[in-house]
Amino acid sequence: LYCYGTAPNAKNRIVRYTLQGNGIVPGSESLVWECPVTAQLGHNGGGFAFGGDGRIYLALGEHYTSPYSQDLTTPLGKLLRMERDGAVPTDNPFVNVPGAEGRVWALGLRNPFRLSTDPLTGTVWIGDVGGNSPQAWEEVNRAVGGANYGWPAQEGNSCSTGDCSTYTTPVWS
């Protein structure tokens, strides 16, 4: 059994438990991954799912700090992809980028609050909450390795800079 939540030390983490019958085996908790950054009050949680490839996908908000979404050194504002033991898959898109968090699968997210895996195709879908203005867009994004969903320069199909051609537009907004 895998669980994702905020630990007593105020850091988001994934833990694994061993089940026996209808209960958890006492003392079986095993830490899979822990965020290096203390949880904030907003844009904190995220989504957790297993992809069609059997790996863990975890989306994290940017803690109300928009630049984190574009910073590969932090897991915030990203979709992470990891092995079931928390290890970095060698085929992740930023694994060989100096200083980058190797678990980053995609970046440019604001407040991704849901993940879902299509049981037929194995595709992972991300629900990302839009900004706090009348022009804000909620998004549904298809998880693609190396994709940049554009936050804070792009939201939905709306670009707030001169050129958003390198960003991945949402499937729905």
Side-chain angles (χ1 to χ4, degrees):
L1 171 69
Y2 287 79
C3 297
Y4 170 66
T6 305
N9 66 358
K11 291 189 175 181
N12 293 345
R13 66 185 189 156
I14 298 170
V15 293
R16 183 179 60 233
Y17 296 94
T18 301
L19 295 177
Q20 185 173 35
N22 291 329
I24 293 173
V25 174
S28 67
E29 180 180 307
S30 175
L31 181 64
V32 174
W33 177 84
E34 184 172 77
C35 187
V37 182
T38 302
Q40 300 297 308
L41 294 177
H43 301 195
N44 169 48
F48 169 79
F50 286 96
D53 59 3
R55 294 197 169 103
I56 294 171
Y57 287 78
L58 176 65
L60 296 165
E62 36 78 303
H63 288 190
Y64 286 124
T65 307
S66 297
Y68 285 162
S69 293
Q70 297 296 321
D71 180 352
L72 287 173
T73 67
T74 177
L76 304 178
K78 313 292 185 309
L79 176 64
L80 306 182
R81 177 178 175 252
M82 65 189 85
E83 303 291 355
R84 289 177 176 252
D85 64 358
V88 177
T90 58
D91 62 343
N92 272 4
F94 304 104
V95 75
N96 293 317
V97 174
E101 159 57 72
R103 291 174 188 83
V104 172
W105 182 250
L107 66 153
L109 298 169
R110 179 179 182 263
N111 189 15
F113 73 110
R114 293 283 185 269
L115 284 185
S116 181
T117 304
D118 183 317
L120 298 177
T121 66
T123 300
V124 176
W125 296 94
I126 310 162
D128 196 12
V129 177
N132 298 326
S133 73
Q135 296 81 28
W137 293 94
E138 313 298 337
E139 297 179 358
V140 175
N141 294 291
R142 182 178 182 268
V144 176
N148 185 338
Y149 300 104
W151 180 259
Q154 176 178 297
E155 184 175 9
N157 294 318
S158 177
C159 180
S160 62
T161 64
D163 181 17
C164 287
S165 63
T166 61
Y167 299 136
T168 301
T169 56
V171 174
W172 178 89
S173 62

